[in-house]
Amino acid sequence: MKELVYMKKNIIIGLIVILGLFSAGCKDDSIGTEITDSGAEQNISTNKVNLEDSMIEIKDKLYKACFFDKKNNPVKTMEESLEYVKVVLPEGVEEIENVSLDEKGISKLKYKIEDIVFYVVILHPYNGNGNYDFKSASGISFPRVEIDTKWHSE
């Protein structure tokens, strides 16, 4: 009887371990498309945002277009990063703000088309001598999108 109980315990533990490995493997696959080594080709979603998309679809496309390098290595030049942003955002979008925060190693950008404002953050790699390399990027994030209603009270 005791052997049967131990065998059932071992089978349950084995199934839990297998399910845990399976689910961890699935998580690694989904993250693998967002994070790449600096020497590897970027393998991330670049579905262009359309103004006809719903806000949920826009946010989903922007989320999938975000990337960063785990080791904070340069992945793109700043010029390539700005081109990448324009590939993701709708055709005709215009940059309305570009602010570099030297102490944080990021550049904050705003793009606008019609009444929609897109916020972009470019992460710059730390170069090891107390400064960040603002000529390259180790990641790009699209943290926010909002509708500019231009509403004024009377």
Side-chain angles (χ1 to χ4, degrees):
M1 185 70 175
K2 285 185 179 182
E3 290 177 13
L4 185 61
V5 171
Y6 288 124
M7 189 182 338
K8 285 182 179 179
K9 266 187 182 178
N10 288 338
I11 290 173
I12 291 172
I13 290 172
L15 288 172
I16 291 172
V17 169
I18 290 171
L19 288 173
L21 290 173
F22 176 72
S23 65
C26 292
K27 288 180 185 175
D28 286 342
D29 288 342
S30 66
I31 293 171
T33 59
E34 296 171 17
I35 303 169
T36 60
D37 293 330
S38 59
E41 186 68 28
Q42 289 297 318
N43 186 19
I44 50 183
S45 173
T46 56
N47 290 330
K48 186 172 255 331
V49 172
N50 292 315
L51 296 179
E52 292 81 30
D53 292 341
S54 71
M55 193 58 81
I56 292 172
E57 291 172 318
I58 289 173
K59 288 180 179 181
D60 186 51
K61 287 179 181 180
L62 293 177
Y63 175 77
K64 289 178 180 176
C66 296
F67 71 89
F68 69 97
D69 184 80
K70 281 184 183 178
K71 298 176 184 168
N72 197 29
N73 291 323
V75 176
K76 294 182 181 293
T77 66
M78 194 59 179
E79 293 80 23
E80 290 171 332
S81 298
L82 296 175
E83 285 299 316
Y84 175 76
V85 168
K86 289 204 174 188
V87 165
V88 173
L89 296 181
E91 204 67 41
V93 70
E94 293 182 20
E95 184 180 299
I96 59 171
E97 187 175 305
N98 186 338
V99 177
S100 295
L101 301 175
D102 295 339
E103 67 281 354
K104 293 186 178 183
I106 62 174
S107 294
K108 291 184 171 187
L109 300 98
K110 282 185 193 177
Y111 289 86
K112 186 172 183 177
I113 185 166
E114 296 180 14
D115 61 346
I116 301 177
V117 179
F118 298 93
Y119 293 80
V120 180
V121 175
I122 297 178
L123 309 168
H124 302 284
Y126 185 71
N127 64 12
N129 63 359
N131 297 318
Y132 292 90
D133 178 9
F134 281 87
K135 293 181 182 175
S136 62
S138 60
I140 297 177
S141 172
F142 300 86
R144 197 164 101 204
V145 60
E146 64 185 35
I147 298 173
D148 182 9
T149 60
K150 298 180 185 134
W151 181 82
H152 300 284
S153 63
E154 294 182 16

